[in-house]
Amino acid sequence: AQSVTQLGSHVSVSEGALVLLRCNYSSSVPPYLFWYVQYPNQGLQLLLKYTTGATLVKGINGFEAEFKKSETSFHLTKPSAHMSDAAEYFCAVSEFNTFYFGSGTKLNVKP
Amino acid sequence: DVKVTQSSRYLVKRTGEKVFLECVQDMDHENMFWYRQDPGLGLRLIYFSYDVKMKEKGDIPEGYSVSREKKERFSLILESASTNQTSMYLCASSTTSSGTITYEQYFGPGTRLTVT
């Protein structure tokens, strides 16, 4: 079975600083990859996804992620953090009709 | 836009009560899912369904059942609510490409259930 690892359950950055949230998966077969964001007391919202094609994927709110097959990684980045980015972020993998979620990373943005 | 709605945002029930959580999606998706979310444990899959009247157990089905009589509606049932079922419950739906790969899941706003 697939496993999805998000390094760091809590990440804290200053406003304007680079955001880097890490995600690694275990499959040797290129899966579909996703990042979701969850604001307090809300459902999950899709930020971006990788299916096929270009390995650098751009999403909403200035986020992007790069699929690196050799590293089995799909890290999420944003060049400049904003206070409104404070939320919990989930990496997810879809393989063979099954969805696997990471355990989530809470992003704190300091003024 | 895909819309997934859940019947209640907040619910308070007593121990032993039968609880129904309803989820409706408007995009004709084949697949529907119920998760529970607890601090530090991420999302855990309770049940999912690939078609009307079909259901599959997820990782933590004990104490729950589901019903899917119509394609757009997926209900989660707590037969006899217990305090350890206090949690955030999230419903999701998705469509499947060529029967093999599931596209992204679309989530409802969640129901925060408290069992006292």
Side-chain angles (χ1 to χ4, degrees):
Chain A
Q2 182 71 251
S3 70
V4 182
T5 304
Q6 290 184 238
L7 197 61
S9 58
H10 290 81
V11 169
S12 188
V13 301
S14 298
E15 192 173 19
L18 172 71
V19 176
L20 171 60
L21 303 182
R22 298 177 188 273
C23 174
N24 287 88
Y25 61 93
S26 62
S27 173
S28 59
V29 176
Y32 287 7
L33 298 157
F34 310 88
W35 275 99
Y36 287 85
V37 61
Q38 185 182 35
Y39 298 102
N41 291 312
Q42 294 188 28
L44 276 67
Q45 179 184 0
L46 183 68
L47 264 183
L48 50 79
K49 63 183 179 184
Y50 169 79
T51 53
T52 58
T55 56
L56 182 63
V57 180
K58 294 188 186 299
I60 61 172
N61 301 338
F63 284 93
E64 60 184 37
E66 187 170 12
F67 168 55
K68 291 187 176 180
K69 183 180 175 182
S70 61
E71 298 177 8
T72 60
S73 69
F74 191 55
H75 302 329
L76 181 71
T77 60
K78 182 174 180 177
S80 177
H82 192 270
M83 296 298 293
S84 60
D85 295 327
E88 190 161 17
Y89 293 79
F90 292 90
C91 180
V93 170
S94 172
E95 184 187 55
F96 302 126
N97 216 19
T98 303
F99 232 73
Y100 303 89
F101 283 93
S103 55
T105 298
K106 283 191 176 170
L107 177 65
N108 177 47
V109 182
K110 299 175 289 187
Chain B
D1 272 359
V2 176
K3 200 82 167 189
V4 180
T5 57
Q6 294 183 230
S7 50
S8 306
R9 291 300 306 276
Y10 299 92
L11 209 52
V12 180
K13 295 292 182 180
R14 292 197 180 277
T15 301
E17 278 193 85
K18 192 168 185 175
V19 181
F20 292 87
L21 302 182
E22 299 271 308
C23 176
V24 177
Q25 51 94 5
D26 66 357
M27 282 301 291
D28 202 37
H29 282 172
E30 305 91 346
N31 312 312
M32 296 189 75
F33 307 82
W34 275 108
Y35 295 90
R36 66 176 282 177
Q37 183 180 20
D38 302 288
L41 297 177
L43 277 73
R44 293 182 291 169
L45 182 64
I46 305 172
Y47 268 97
F48 59 102
S49 169
Y50 290 137
D51 203 350
V52 175
K53 295 192 185 297
M54 296 190 69
K55 60 186 179 185
E56 297 282 345
K57 292 181 180 178
D59 301 320
I60 52 162
E62 297 79 17
Y64 303 93
S65 63
V66 290
S67 171
R68 193 163 180 204
E69 297 297 317
K70 293 185 178 181
K71 192 174 185 180
E72 67 271 19
R73 189 179 297 268
F74 192 35
S75 302
L76 180 69
I77 303 152
L78 286 65
E79 297 290 344
S80 177
S82 65
T83 55
N84 63 12
Q85 292 179 310
T86 291
S87 186
M88 173 73 126
Y89 290 88
L90 293 167
C91 175
S93 74
S94 74
T95 189
T96 302
S97 167
S98 304
T100 55
I101 296 291
T102 303
Y103 286 141
E104 63 266 32
Q105 294 191 359
Y106 294 86
F107 283 82
T111 296
R112 188 164 291 283
L113 173 67
T114 303
V115 183
T116 62

